[in-house]
Amino acid sequence: MWQSSPPGSIYDYIRVASFSIGPDGLIEQWSRRAAGLFGIAADEAVGRDPVEAFMPSELRTDGHRRVGEILDGKEWTGLVPFRMPGDNAVHGLAELYVMPSETGSGERAALCIVVDVRALRRIETDLAASQAIFGQSPFGFVLFGTDFTVVRANQRFATVFGGQADDHRGRTVDDYLARPEAERLTATLKRVLETGDSVTDLQLVGTAPGDEESRHWSMNLYRVHSGAGRPVGVAGLATDVTRRHIAAREAANARRNLALLNEASARIGNSLDLETTARELLDVAVPGFCDLASVDLYQGLLTGDEAPPGRWGSLRQEPVGGSAELRRVGFASAVSDAVPDSTATHGDTDPPALGAVHRYPFNSPCAKALRTGRVKNVPGDDRGFVQSTLAVPMVAHDTVVGLVQFSRTKGSEPFGERDRALATELAARAAVCIDNARLYRREHERALILQRSLLPPGDPEAAGLEIACRYLPGNAATEVGGDWFDVIELPGHRTALVVGDVMGRGLRAAVAMGELRTAVRTLALLDLEPAEVLSALDEVARGLGTPGGSTASDGVGAQWPSRASHKSRDADLSEVYLATCVYAVYDSVTRRCTFANAGHLPPVVVEPGEPALLLDVPPGMPLGVGGEPFEEVEVELKEGALLALYTDGLVESRDHPLDEGLQALRDALVEPALPLEDVCDHVLSTLDTRHGEDDIALLMARIQGLPADAVGDWRLPREPRSVGRARELARSQLIAWDLDELVDTTELLVSELVTNALRYGEGEIRLRLLRDRTLVCEVWDAGLVQPRRRRARDTDEGGRGLQLVGLLSAAWGSRRTPRGKTVWFELPLPDGQPAAERTVEQLLSMF
């Protein structure tokens, strides 16, 4: 069947032409291809001598001879130089094949076939280069036909997939790749062949024959055309990028690990709560590192046990048994409806529920991890969905505080060595944070115990006063500070109200505050005047900052150079403790209050129907400065008046000056008739205290003096019959108060005190009975000699009076007054129960 040469024929590349020579040696026929090759049309070539037209002059003689031989019937093949006609003649070289022929009349002629040698050499060079590139390329090269079968493959491609290069002709992509990847490559080949758009870096995954490990290839595809532009197939250049893929995966894992560590640093340890820290670890690990995770902490750690090394899991001492009790404090899962796989960690038992206390079996990997402090790899069970688990002990300062388990489900990438290192690092960071939280909790509890021990327990009570108080530490982390208040009951139904502020914060300020508060209570019980209390307290404050507790005025060491130099070194290490304090003594009988101030803010008094006032109390110097005496101010307070003592944290902050804070406090006390607790809450909620910047102490007292009928006050002359008169007055007053049960005891003790006043005292005698929560009896005289209790000998006829007072009363004592002294005793009011009888030992102790 005849057909035209399709586009892309070989003749398009090698440039073949033909022409014929007649018997006269002239061109008789001139083909179109000859016209294209020589650039001469047929009407110009026909009838011309080819030798004269195309050959150089120096070759024409030999050319005419050759043409003659050809016309004589001799074939000839050879290379013939030629020249294009015209001024811009182009010289070329043609391979000429001449075949003798005959005309219709029997004359000899010739048919000439001409091939452009330059085109042939170019094709030979291109083929050689193509073969070198294709065959010697270090990359796999494959050519797919239009039917997507392999037309040609190089030896590198055959090396990967086996056999020789020619063995791959006719194969398809299904012979090399699994179905998903083969379908993806086929679709890409179709798209490249249809559109002509090349594809670069097509990632393919498969396995080479005889190799189970997956390999990764990067493939570049482009469409191949014939010389006429017709698509003839798709060429592919494949590169094995398995190593690059592994390196990229390792780099991605490294970046992920660094990101996880960075996230762990930012998110783990933000809370000082043990269980919250454990949950923060889980939030970081799931799903960024694993699919499942759980955290167990030692039960003793959570309950606050001060365990010796080895009690929880010290690496220095291996505990006996499987493991100590642990509590499951956290569990996280990135898999819906997933539960921990416990087959490898708990045997056949169910995994512990969240919050459950459990133990690991002795031979379990988790128990071994806890004992050795090393990571254990727990393989998954075929029945479960967990592929593998890392049991990682949480170690802080050589002590195991718990165990964290990281698990990956089947289908996920298994744990590697870098994963083990990352798991260890995550567990270690969480362990340090948990141990810090444990230490904080321990110190926090100790600080709270200290703080609570330094403040009055419960709601303080005082005769003639309604008390309400508030304390807010400025350091929210430790809840301790240097502010304090106190309510101290004094003899004679008097009360000492104290508010102080040690400059500074935290535990050290609280310790100094505790020493000062203890000193205040001790000095108050000596029944000293307020100014005397502050003077003695100033000496104590100056001694706090000196090593060994010695005061700053101690100069004995100056006599000895060695001791002086030692004390100089100690002085460099000493601290200066300064404190402010206001000390007030309230007498419920007279409703008079005596104030002394050591650099503290003035008290506030609100009388019924009047605005709040700042008492004009001389401020004095802070405690610890020394050198200046303290002054006293006595104020008579009305019934129902409100007295407020406070520290500067209530009225002063960085954004508000002191004057504004004091005015705000006065404005907040406009409704003093409210219940006292409500008044305290109203003050704290109204003022902008900026809680957290400084400690706040607030002590409020509402004046409720003893009623007149609760006081019996008599003056007695200095004569013996005053003893009997004192007994009669006491009896009558107790009967009027319906305290008949106390008559006999009171008469006896009053008789003893009045007798001592007559015998050892001076001046007029005063007897006073006070009834409030207890019964108080006071005997006043002008003598300065304080009574002293002593043990009487068997032969002594006296000396047992004060022993009798100490035995029969709840408390007794004496105090100095501006004009002498007062001896007092106190009896509890009857509660309807019969009084306890004295033992023989108690009765004999008087003799």
Side-chain angles (χ1 to χ4, degrees):
M1 180 177 65
W2 297 91
Q3 66 180 13
S4 61
S5 177
S9 172
I10 185 64
Y11 298 107
D12 295 333
Y13 294 98
I14 62 175
R15 302 184 69 184
V16 177
S18 65
F19 63 92
S20 64
I21 300 176
D24 55 359
L26 302 178
I27 298 174
E28 190 175 60
Q29 292 181 342
W30 189 257
S31 68
R32 292 181 178 178
R33 286 187 178 268
L37 176 62
F38 295 104
I40 301 175
D43 57 352
E44 297 178 3
V46 174
R48 297 184 63 180
D49 184 349
V51 175
E52 295 293 335
F54 301 108
M55 295 186 69
S57 57
E58 65 272 13
L59 299 176
R60 290 175 183 172
T61 301
D62 185 61
H64 285 295
R65 183 176 58 81
R66 295 288 184 185
V67 171
E69 292 177 355
I70 292 171
L71 293 176
D72 289 339
K74 186 177 180 180
E75 292 186 0
W76 182 82
T77 301
L79 297 176
V80 178
F82 67 89
R83 175 180 58 83
M84 296 289 188
D87 297 335
N88 298 325
V90 177
H91 294 270
L93 184 66
E95 185 177 44
L96 185 64
Y97 177 43
V98 182
M99 296 174 290
S101 64
E102 292 182 356
T103 64
S105 58
E107 293 180 305
R108 292 182 178 181
L111 177 65
C112 301
I113 304 298
V114 183
V115 178
D116 188 352
V117 175
R118 293 175 304 173
L120 287 176
R121 297 292 180 267
R122 191 163 53 246
I123 291 174
E124 289 176 354
T125 302
D126 291 346
L127 287 175
S130 175
Q131 180 63 28
I133 294 173
F134 193 84
Q136 301 174 18
S137 172
F139 308 110
F141 196 94
V142 61
L143 178 63
F144 295 95
T146 55
D147 58 353
F148 306 120
T149 60
V150 176
V151 176
R152 188 177 180 186
N154 68 350
Q155 190 57 42
R156 177 60 182 169
F157 184 87
T159 301
V160 176
F161 290 100
Q164 298 298 318
D166 292 340
D167 297 338
H168 293 273
R169 295 181 185 273
R171 292 185 180 181
T172 64
V173 294
D174 295 308
D175 296 323
Y176 305 105
L177 301 173
R179 173 167 293 182
E181 292 291 270
E183 292 177 350
R184 191 162 65 91
L185 178 56
T186 301
T188 305
L189 289 173
K190 290 180 179 180
R191 186 172 70 253
V192 172
L193 185 62
E194 292 173 358
T195 65
D197 297 333
S198 60
V199 173
T200 58
D201 198 22
L202 175 65
Q203 296 292 319
L204 297 173
V205 181
T207 56
D211 190 0
E212 296 182 355
E213 183 180 357
S214 296
R215 304 193 69 81
H216 296 260
W217 292 285
S218 173
M219 200 164 192
N220 299 327
L221 300 172
Y222 57 93
R223 190 169 68 181
V224 179
H225 305 84
S226 67
R230 179 176 60 89
V232 296
V234 178
L237 184 66
T239 306
D240 190 338
V241 294
T242 304
R243 292 184 178 179
R244 188 176 71 186
H245 182 80
I246 294 175
R249 183 177 61 189
E250 291 180 352
N253 290 339
R255 288 193 298 269
R256 182 203 63 183
N257 294 350
L258 290 175
L260 279 175
L261 290 177
N262 183 59
E263 185 180 6
S265 300
R267 297 181 60 180
I268 299 177
N270 292 324
S271 170
L272 290 175
D273 179 75
L274 299 177
E275 298 185 12
T276 301
T277 303
R279 288 191 292 270
E280 291 170 347
L281 170 61
L282 298 179
D283 292 340
V284 172
V286 179
F289 177 67
C290 61
D291 302 316
L292 305 170
S294 62
V295 177
D296 299 317
L297 297 180
Y298 278 110
Q299 178 69 1
L301 176 74
L302 294 170
T303 56
D305 292 349
E306 292 291 340
R311 175 72 177 276
W312 295 330
S314 174
L315 300 181
R316 304 187 188 95
Q317 177 180 344
E318 184 173 324
V320 181
S323 69
E325 288 186 341
L326 298 107
R327 186 193 303 173
R328 177 63 54 87
V329 297
F331 172 74
S333 170
V335 184
S336 59
D337 301 329
V339 295
D341 186 6
S342 64
T343 55
T345 58
H346 281 77
D348 296 329
T349 61
D350 293 332
L354 190 64
V357 178
H358 64 98
R359 294 175 183 267
Y360 285 108
F362 180 81
N363 291 323
S364 66
C366 291
K368 294 179 181 178
L370 290 170
R371 289 196 300 270
T372 61
R374 297 181 178 179
V375 181
K376 298 297 180 182
N377 197 345
V378 185
D381 195 293
D382 294 338
R383 297 170 295 175
F385 63 92
V386 172
Q387 180 189 72
S388 62
T389 299
L390 292 178
V392 186
M394 305 175 71
V395 183
H397 307 112
D398 292 335
T399 300
V400 181
V401 299
L403 182 78
V404 56
Q405 298 181 61
F406 303 107
S407 301
R408 288 181 179 174
T409 58
K410 294 179 179 177
S412 299
E413 185 178 355
F415 289 114
E417 287 301 320
R418 291 187 177 181
D419 294 324
R420 289 169 63 94
L422 176 62
T424 303
E425 180 65 22
L426 289 175
R429 295 194 179 197
V432 171
C433 295
I434 288 175
D435 192 54
N436 290 340
R438 176 186 67 85
L439 295 175
Y440 161 76
R441 185 179 64 181
R442 184 185 68 183
E443 297 303 319
H444 178 66
E445 291 175 351
R446 292 177 177 177
L448 287 180
I449 293 173
L450 172 63
Q451 186 72 64
R452 291 165 184 163
S453 66
L454 298 178
L455 296 176
D459 297 327
E461 295 182 355
L465 291 176
E466 179 187 356
I467 303 292
C469 52
R470 295 289 187 273
Y471 178 80
L472 299 176
N475 191 338
T478 60
E479 295 192 7
V480 294
D483 291 13
W484 90 93
F485 66 90
D486 208 344
V487 179
I488 308 170
E489 294 189 73
L490 301 177
H493 288 318
R494 294 174 305 128
T495 304
L497 303 175
V498 189
V499 168
D501 182 3
V502 176
M503 297 182 185
R505 291 187 184 183
L507 193 59
R508 298 180 65 84
V511 171
M513 174 266 285
E515 296 189 41
L516 293 178
R517 177 180 177 270
T518 301
V520 169
R521 295 190 69 89
T522 302
L523 296 170
L525 294 178
L526 294 177
D527 216 347
L528 301 177
E529 295 297 325
E532 294 176 331
V533 170
L534 293 185
S535 296
L537 197 62
D538 178 65
E539 292 291 333
V540 174
R542 282 191 288 163
L544 291 179
T546 304
S550 60
T551 63
S553 60
D554 185 7
V556 177
Q559 300 177 8
W560 305 96
S562 59
R563 289 186 59 189
S565 60
H566 174 70
K567 291 179 72 63
S568 176
R569 290 193 300 269
D570 286 344
D572 294 337
L573 302 176
S574 65
E575 296 185 50
V576 177
Y577 286 91
L578 298 179
T580 63
C581 179
V582 59
Y583 184 89
V585 175
Y586 170 71
D587 190 335
S588 61
V589 179
T590 63
R591 293 199 312 275
R592 301 186 70 84
C593 191
T594 304
F595 296 90
N597 193 354
H600 204 78
L601 296 175
V604 178
V605 173
V606 187
E607 294 186 343
E610 300 292 337
L613 296 176
L614 296 176
L615 289 181
D616 187 12
V617 179
M621 299 298 292
L623 300 175
V625 175
E628 294 292 333
F630 298 97
E631 300 181 42
E632 294 180 357
V633 174
E634 188 176 62
V635 179
E636 183 176 353
L637 303 174
K638 294 183 179 180
E639 185 73 18
L642 193 64
L643 176 63
L645 306 178
Y646 52 93
T647 57
D648 58 355
L650 181 67
V651 295
E652 187 178 23
S653 67
R654 296 177 181 176
D655 300 330
H656 295 83
L658 180 60
D659 292 342
E660 293 183 6
L662 291 175
Q663 185 59 46
L665 174 60
R666 295 169 61 187
D667 295 339
L669 295 173
V670 294
E671 297 182 4
L674 293 174
L676 202 54
E677 294 291 338
D678 295 342
V679 175
C680 283
D681 294 337
H682 176 70
V683 169
L684 292 178
S685 61
T686 301
L687 270 65
D688 186 9
T689 60
R690 297 298 177 96
H691 179 220
E693 293 184 0
D694 198 2
D695 307 329
I696 296 175
L698 175 62
L699 176 61
M700 303 191 74
R702 177 170 284 131
I703 304 303
Q704 297 174 344
L706 289 180
D709 57 0
V711 180
D713 194 350
W714 306 276
R715 297 184 182 273
L716 303 173
R718 189 171 189 80
E719 55 187 31
R721 63 179 183 177
S722 294
V723 177
R725 178 59 179 164
R727 287 197 299 266
E728 293 175 0
L729 294 172
R731 172 183 288 273
S732 300
Q733 187 64 67
L734 292 181
I735 293 175
W737 286 341
D738 293 329
L739 299 177
D740 300 46
E741 298 180 17
L742 302 180
V743 170
D744 293 339
T745 303
T746 304
E747 278 189 320
L748 176 59
L749 300 184
V750 165
S751 177
E752 289 294 334
L753 294 187
V754 174
T755 300
N756 283 344
L758 289 173
R759 181 176 300 176
Y760 305 108
E762 298 177 5
E764 187 181 36
I765 298 174
R766 181 181 176 186
L767 173 64
R768 188 167 74 169
L769 294 179
L770 308 176
R771 185 197 66 183
D772 191 61
R773 291 175 297 128
T774 61
L775 176 68
V776 175
C777 176
E778 298 176 331
V779 176
W780 306 38
D781 69 81
L784 298 178
V785 178
Q786 297 290 323
R788 181 172 60 88
R789 183 176 176 179
R790 63 183 179 86
R791 178 174 293 277
R793 295 175 294 181
D794 295 344
T795 57
D796 291 342
E797 296 182 358
R800 298 180 177 85
L802 294 181
Q803 291 185 5
L804 185 65
V805 173
L807 177 64
L808 298 181
S809 64
W812 79 279
S814 65
R815 67 178 184 274
R816 291 182 300 166
T817 63
R819 298 182 180 179
K821 67 175 180 299
T822 300
V823 183
W824 56 272
F825 67 84
E826 183 176 352
L827 296 175
L829 299 181
D831 54 3
Q833 300 294 330
E837 296 184 359
R838 302 292 178 179
T839 64
V840 175
E841 289 77 7
Q842 290 175 331
L843 294 174
L844 291 177
S845 66
M846 295 183 294
F847 299 96

